[in-house]
Amino acid sequence: MMEDGRTQVLNPASISSLESWVQKTAVKLVQINGQRKYGGPPPNWTGPAPGPGCEVFISQIPRDIYEDRLIPLFQQVAPLYEFRLMMNFSGQNRGFAYAKYGNPLHAGVAVRTLHRHELQEGACLVVRHSTEKRQLSLGEMPAGVQREQLLQALRGIADGVESLTLRPGKGGGVTAVVQYTSHYTASMAKKVLCEAFKKRFDIIITVKWQTFSGKSRQDVNQAKLSASPPPGFPQATLRSSLLPPSLLDGGHRSALGQYPSLPRPARPGREALLFGDAVALLRKVCDMLDLGPPFYSTQYLCSSPEGLLCFAFRVLIPGVPLPYTGTTRVLPSSSGGAQRQEVQQAAAEHVLRSLYQA
């Protein structure tokens, strides 16, 4: 077999190992459009399907390494909801895969513990948070296209269509931005939409991943974590959940469902909050309130025009019903660990400001 001018030779030992593992474990692997998938969900899975931030991207996989080595490795972190290994027609893998967990915390643990893991001598895995793109931009649509008719047509072509937005396109045409339920469903749709529109409607369209630039990001709040609390949870209510009942000073909910005034633990010094170790300070506050240690999950989003790296973060405190989420920008660094620490510092400061703001 030939690809990129190089001969690909299958490793009989690796193939035999994979076949033996599949037979022994009764794992079901399904080949679909250039990828081999496990789960989604696997047998005996309990709970809902994972949301955003639960998937990791794995690269630098040796071409003769298969699921019998990869799935058990990533299951050491937590149960896998889904694992997808990209495959060539030759039978070798394409060097990258996706692993999806039940929640973002487990995905974050996988990144921290398995990034640079030496799978075999001289071969270290690269494990990052997956960008999980879910929006496709369909260009060259006819000017008179109707939203409901187009939405019905899209749902008849591929699964997972969640929403549709029509925008003015170039030359008087229309651009349709389609959001799917997952990166996987969007990827599957991307493979078939052009051919389907040509065959069914005799229309030539363009299909590409939706990208954002400048301030024209009206849909980005659905794709990123937001620094605002979810609808129905006022900011005062979120802050009050950090405090035990003994610190509420007899406060009662008003007609609007908010606490009118909440005493807080003694405010740390301004210098400590602005310039100190925010991660250590937040841990101290959580210990004082007996809430449990904070857990941090970070996800790379994009690079800004100024060259900064944009990250989303989520801070889960065991004694708090809802996580704190937000975004931050950091300077590029040769050390991934240093970048994670900087994002965690920004996340901890965000939580502290929310707790201690006037």
Side-chain angles (χ1 to χ4, degrees):
M1 298 290 180
M2 298 293 294
E3 182 179 340
D4 298 332
R6 293 174 295 181
T7 302
Q8 293 190 343
V9 180
L10 296 179
N11 185 332
S14 296
I15 298 295
S16 176
S17 176
L18 173 64
E19 293 173 347
S20 297
W21 177 76
V22 169
Q23 184 176 7
K24 180 180 179 180
T25 60
V27 165
K28 185 177 181 181
L29 302 177
V30 180
Q31 182 101 16
I32 304 176
N33 295 327
Q35 58 184 302
R36 200 157 58 200
K37 187 176 80 164
Y38 158 78
N44 303 319
W45 179 267
T46 58
C54 298
E55 187 174 76
V56 299
F57 172 68
I58 311 151
S59 60
Q60 302 300 315
I61 302 173
R63 297 301 181 96
D64 58 351
I65 295 294
Y66 299 106
E67 291 89 343
D68 60 309
R69 297 280 304 280
L70 296 169
I71 289 178
L73 175 65
F74 282 84
Q75 282 181 330
Q76 291 178 11
V77 172
L80 286 171
Y81 176 83
E82 180 181 85
F83 189 91
R84 296 182 289 124
L85 181 63
M86 305 300 115
M87 300 296 296
N88 288 321
F89 289 112
S90 67
Q92 287 191 324
N93 77 64
R94 294 169 58 192
F96 64 99
Y98 297 86
K100 181 171 289 189
Y101 292 94
N103 60 64
L105 289 179
H106 290 153
V109 172
V111 171
R112 290 191 294 271
T113 59
L114 295 178
H115 179 57
R116 306 304 300 168
H117 175 80
E118 191 171 23
L119 196 59
Q120 61 185 32
E121 187 176 357
C124 294
L125 297 177
V126 173
V127 183
R128 306 286 192 191
H129 284 282
S130 172
T131 55
E132 296 184 82
K133 297 178 182 178
R134 296 193 297 144
Q135 291 184 322
L136 296 178
S137 176
L138 280 56
E140 310 297 331
M141 303 292 294
V145 66
Q146 299 296 311
R147 181 184 180 279
E148 292 304 320
Q149 294 178 347
L150 178 57
L151 186 61
Q152 184 177 359
L154 289 167
R155 286 174 171 163
I157 294 173
D159 295 332
V161 176
E162 196 170 71
S163 64
L164 170 65
T165 303
L166 298 182
R167 299 173 180 171
K170 296 180 180 180
V174 172
T175 296
V177 178
V178 190
Q179 178 156 307
Y180 289 83
T181 55
S182 67
H183 177 73
Y184 174 75
T185 55
S187 297
M188 295 298 100
K190 188 173 183 288
K191 295 176 182 292
V192 301
L193 281 172
C194 285
E195 183 178 350
F197 269 78
K198 174 62 177 176
K199 184 176 181 180
R200 296 188 185 189
F201 311 114
D202 196 27
I203 298 175
I204 298 176
I205 65 170
T206 60
V207 179
K208 60 183 181 180
W209 292 110
Q210 171 70 358
T211 58
F212 304 97
S213 60
K215 296 183 179 180
S216 61
R217 305 183 67 169
Q218 67 183 56
D219 295 324
V220 75
N221 289 334
Q222 296 180 1
K224 293 196 316 184
L225 298 173
S226 171
S228 303
F233 292 90
Q235 186 71 37
T237 303
L238 281 177
R239 289 201 308 274
S240 69
S241 66
L242 279 170
L243 304 174
S246 60
L247 293 179
L248 292 180
D249 198 26
H252 298 283
R253 289 182 184 273
S254 66
L256 295 177
Q258 298 182 359
Y259 290 99
S261 178
L262 298 177
R264 300 172 177 84
R267 180 188 295 268
R270 175 178 176 84
E271 293 77 15
L273 186 58
L274 292 179
F275 306 109
D277 186 344
V279 171
L281 184 58
L282 178 59
R283 176 62 183 266
K284 183 176 181 180
V285 171
C286 291
D287 288 345
M288 180 177 64
L289 298 177
D290 197 25
L291 297 173
F295 294 91
Y296 297 85
S297 177
T298 62
Q299 179 181 2
Y300 171 73
L301 297 175
C302 61
S303 296
S304 72
E306 298 83 11
L308 299 174
L309 303 182
C310 303
F311 286 85
F313 60 78
R314 180 187 298 264
V315 184
L316 179 64
I317 301 174
V320 179
L322 295 172
Y324 284 83
T325 61
T327 59
T328 189
R329 297 189 297 176
V330 301
L331 290 170
S333 170
S334 58
S335 170
Q339 287 178 352
R340 283 194 296 272
Q341 290 177 7
E342 190 171 353
V343 174
Q344 289 180 4
Q345 287 289 336
E349 185 172 343
H350 169 78
V351 176
L352 290 167
R353 290 186 183 280
S354 298
L355 177 60
Y356 288 100
Q357 70 179 18

